[in-house]
Amino acid sequence: MYKRCLYSLLENRLGYLNNNKRFISNTTNIKKEYFNVLGIETSCDDTSIGIVRSDGTILGESKLSQWDIHKEHRGIVPNLASEQHRLNIDKSIDLALHEKFKDGLSIQDDIDVIAVTTGPGLAFSLQVGLEKAKELSRQYNKELCSVNHLEGHCLVVRMENIELEFPFLTLLISGGHSQILVCRGVSDYQCLGNTLDDSIGEALDKAARILDCEFGSVYDGHQHYYNIHGGEAIEILARRASPDANERFKFSIPMKESKNCDFSFSGLKSSLKRYVDQLKSQSGSELSLQDRCDLASSFQNTAFSHLENKLKKSLNWYYGKSTMDGKKKNKKLSQQQEIAGTETMPKREKLNGLVVSGGVSKNQYLRERLETLSKEFDLKCYFPSPKLCTDNGTMIAWAGVEMYNKGMVTKDLDKLFYIPYWPLDKNPVNLFDSNLKEKDQKIRSNWFNDIKNKYQK
Ligand code: KG4
Ligand code: ZN
């Protein structure tokens, strides 16, 4: 009865989507109009499950986090994370099956496909999810989709915005990654920029630590906030900053003159550390709350200006303009334009949007700034709803829907392994005139070699 009620509540959405056949299985195994995917996410410290119907309706979700476990270590401890996944995985699946349905969905009758994050991420955490996915797939005879976690972040906006077609540009900003990607189709990505050292999320997490925030919590002078990431703690402190925070503490924007679209956050983090050490030694005591708020605000502001600069460079490059914003002309521009239309970079179609995803995209202040930037380029800006920004099983289930629709299922479960390092771009090339330091050039060529080795196997 309850099930029937819920299904009729979903009728509106069904009615709306009936004309849109994009998400209806075109593979032969599933004959019915819609199919349901159960997604398993265990790549880091959240054991999360999502159940998604192929029209984008969420049928159940759960997330068991591990804040208390890692608190005393002030960071995620990989072997404790995998141990918790093992303890929590069955409970998490059960919670998701029962979240919206009193009697619970049944894997046998209501789930058609299992999707699981197989990389990138912490090896032993990934292993727990993968083992469970294989077990369910074998036990219930369900097809399995092996999902790249980053692809989950990129595609989930299409679940919430049915009109968004490929290609679009994605700024993927999370705890493990800062990347700018052209998303050309399912499992078809071109990476325009990547981080040379820390990711933006990692930099914000470290900044929260430097500013003496406890792991997973912050107090802003008015309220205590619990179970939050470092990036969110920085956002909360920054909201209490004084109007002259940017003048009190000045940070320079990283790689401002570089012609490529890569990121670097470690210098910014070191500047913050220097300010904090200086203030502490001058006062001989802890930082004042106002100093912490002002530092957080100026740091956040500069980190986001860095994101904006590189995003502008990427968009200018994509549309064939100089990446130097009319300053110095990019020498390789004509060469780049030649690339368009080759196998490396298919002819550039108009972008259908700017997608900002990953945990950092939850940041309200960043959202406002990027909305403004995307208008300059006449692009609609898409953000996942806040609960789908940080890691979640729903985005993995949705990636499973997209993959299943393309027939991208695992043929031999015995040959499926987790992949801790798994870049989305299968064929990275040097697209820009690079003025990288020798050390950074080495990092980049190592990435490329690693990727080539992986995809040649
Ligand atoms: O996507 P995610 O859950 O995990 C990875 O795939 O890495 O992202 C987690 C990251 C953390 O670094 C966290 O500090 C950041 O997202 N984050 C935020 C906010 N909420 C989470 N950063 C800035 N502002 C926020 N509100
Ligand atoms: Zn993530």
Side-chain angles (χ1 to χ4, degrees):
M1 175 64 192
Y2 186 84
K3 266 189 199 181
R4 232 177 297 133
C5 263
L6 197 112
Y7 272 114
S8 68
L9 274 176
L10 299 172
E11 281 292 293
N12 282 347
R13 176 144 196 169
L14 270 173
Y16 163 62
L17 292 166
N18 261 345
N19 293 331
N20 188 334
K21 299 286 177 201
R22 196 170 85 185
F23 304 123
I24 295 166
S25 168
N26 53 15
T27 58
T28 45
N29 286 11
I30 295 175
K31 294 267 167 44
K32 60 189 182 184
E33 197 175 11
Y34 295 101
F35 59 95
N36 300 334
V37 181
L38 182 142
I40 303 176
E41 160 59 37
T42 62
S43 68
C44 191
D45 60 334
D46 292 313
T47 318
S48 183
I49 305 296
I51 303 167
V52 173
R53 196 169 60 182
S54 50
D55 66 346
T57 307
I58 299 173
L59 301 180
E61 289 176 296
S62 71
K63 191 192 255 195
L64 297 176
S65 299
Q66 307 178 358
W67 296 105
D68 291 339
I69 308 293
H70 302 287
K71 196 172 164 185
E72 66 177 284
H73 305 276
R74 301 191 72 201
I76 294 158
V77 184
N79 61 334
L80 293 181
S82 57
E83 196 180 301
Q84 285 304 304
H85 286 309
R86 260 181 221 291
L87 292 172
N88 287 335
I89 186 95
D90 286 331
K91 186 174 167 198
S92 199
I93 292 172
D94 206 48
L95 285 172
L97 290 170
H98 286 83
E99 197 221 357
K100 292 198 168 122
F101 299 91
K102 203 164 139 244
D103 299 335
L105 293 169
S106 119
I107 298 182
Q108 181 67 67
D109 300 334
D110 300 316
I111 302 297
D112 303 296
V113 180
I114 308 289
V116 60
T117 304
T118 47
L122 300 173
F124 297 121
S125 291
L126 291 166
Q127 189 181 19
V128 179
L130 178 57
E131 277 174 10
K132 182 53 67 180
K134 285 185 179 180
E135 179 193 314
L136 297 178
S137 170
R138 287 187 175 117
Q139 184 179 348
Y140 297 103
N141 194 25
K142 308 287 174 188
E143 301 252 42
L144 187 147
C145 294
S146 156
V147 177
N148 183 313
H149 178 86
L150 306 179
E151 181 149 39
H153 278 303
C154 288
L155 294 183
V156 72
V157 280
R158 275 169 48 90
M159 182 183 89
E160 298 190 296
N161 301 276
I162 208 114
E163 78 286 358
L164 177 62
E165 297 286 352
F166 299 109
F168 50 85
L169 195 78
T170 295
L171 174 67
L172 175 57
I173 38 178
S174 68
H177 300 270
S178 308
Q179 295 188 0
I180 300 176
L181 297 148
V182 182
C183 303
R184 303 186 293 217
V186 180
S187 297
D188 184 6
Y189 297 86
Q190 172 99 40
C191 182
L192 304 187
N194 206 337
T195 187
L196 298 169
D197 39 58
D198 292 350
S199 72
I200 167 98
E202 204 177 346
L204 290 165
D205 292 340
K206 286 178 181 166
R209 242 167 118 159
I210 294 170
L211 292 176
D212 296 330
C213 298
E214 278 191 36
F215 180 78
S217 67
V218 74
Y219 175 63
D220 69 352
H222 298 259
Q223 201 184 324
H224 287 278
Y225 297 82
Y226 297 102
N227 296 348
I228 55 162
H229 286 99
E232 201 166 348
I234 294 290
E235 183 180 17
I236 289 166
L237 289 177
R239 279 197 224 120
R240 302 273 174 199
S242 53
D244 64 345
N246 291 337
E247 276 72 51
R248 285 193 69 207
F249 301 112
K250 289 200 168 82
F251 295 94
S252 42
I253 303 173
M255 301 174 77
K256 211 172 160 191
E257 298 303 319
S258 78
K259 297 165 194 166
N260 54 65
C261 296
D262 291 328
F263 298 104
S264 166
F265 291 96
S266 74
L268 202 54
K269 179 198 66 193
S270 306
S271 309
L272 176 68
K273 179 90 177 70
R274 271 197 300 278
Y275 265 131
V276 169
D277 291 344
Q278 216 176 351
L279 286 167
K280 282 185 176 171
S281 74
Q282 273 166 9
S283 68
S285 66
E286 293 303 299
L287 292 176
S288 71
L289 180 63
Q290 196 57 58
D291 283 347
R292 291 170 67 219
C293 293
D294 288 0
L295 280 163
S297 166
S298 187
F299 180 90
Q300 179 182 253
N301 198 20
T302 314
F304 291 172
S305 298
H306 182 32
L307 293 181
E308 277 179 347
N309 284 350
K310 294 309 183 114
L311 209 44
K312 277 188 196 164
K313 277 184 208 248
S314 300
L315 285 163
N316 279 332
W317 173 81
Y318 190 87
Y319 287 120
K321 294 186 201 147
S322 166
T323 56
M324 292 306 284
D325 269 347
K327 281 187 202 158
K328 233 192 297 168
K329 201 109 175 88
N330 187 333
K331 275 186 276 159
K332 276 209 180 149
L333 192 63
S334 53
Q335 210 173 319
Q336 287 164 12
Q337 281 162 341
E338 273 168 34
I339 292 171
T342 68
E343 234 178 90
T344 333
M345 187 72 188
K347 198 167 173 338
R348 286 171 221 167
E349 289 171 46
K350 192 178 177 320
L351 293 169
N352 291 310
L354 169 64
V355 169
V356 187
S357 64
V360 182
S361 69
K362 225 173 126 182
N363 189 293
Q364 207 47 47
Y365 172 59
L366 179 67
R367 286 180 175 221
E368 284 160 23
R369 287 180 60 160
L370 295 182
E371 285 276 9
T372 312
L373 183 146
S374 62
K375 280 195 192 109
E376 281 174 36
F377 287 86
D378 200 20
L379 278 176
K380 186 166 173 202
C381 204
Y382 293 90
F383 303 95
S385 53
K387 72 167 183 184
L388 297 178
C389 289
T390 44
D391 293 348
N392 63 86
T394 299
M395 70 181 192
I396 302 306
W398 177 254
V401 169
E402 298 252 28
M403 290 177 75
Y404 192 81
N405 264 326
K406 297 268 172 204
M408 296 173 175
V409 292
T410 298
K411 302 221 165 50
D412 184 350
L413 289 190
D414 293 333
K415 290 197 180 132
L416 180 65
F417 300 103
Y418 55 85
I419 318 161
Y421 176 68
W422 182 6
L424 277 179
D425 184 347
K426 298 178 184 121
N427 185 21
V429 280
N430 240 332
L431 294 169
F432 306 98
D433 229 4
S434 176
N435 58 351
L436 292 178
K437 292 179 209 139
E438 204 181 319
K439 172 182 105 262
D440 294 335
Q441 256 164 13
K442 227 177 189 166
I443 296 177
R444 199 207 289 248
S445 65
N446 284 346
W447 292 337
F448 290 3
N449 288 340
D450 281 356
I451 295 168
K452 278 181 189 139
N453 288 341
K454 179 190 166 329
Y455 282 106
Q456 271 160 15
K457 268 183 204 160

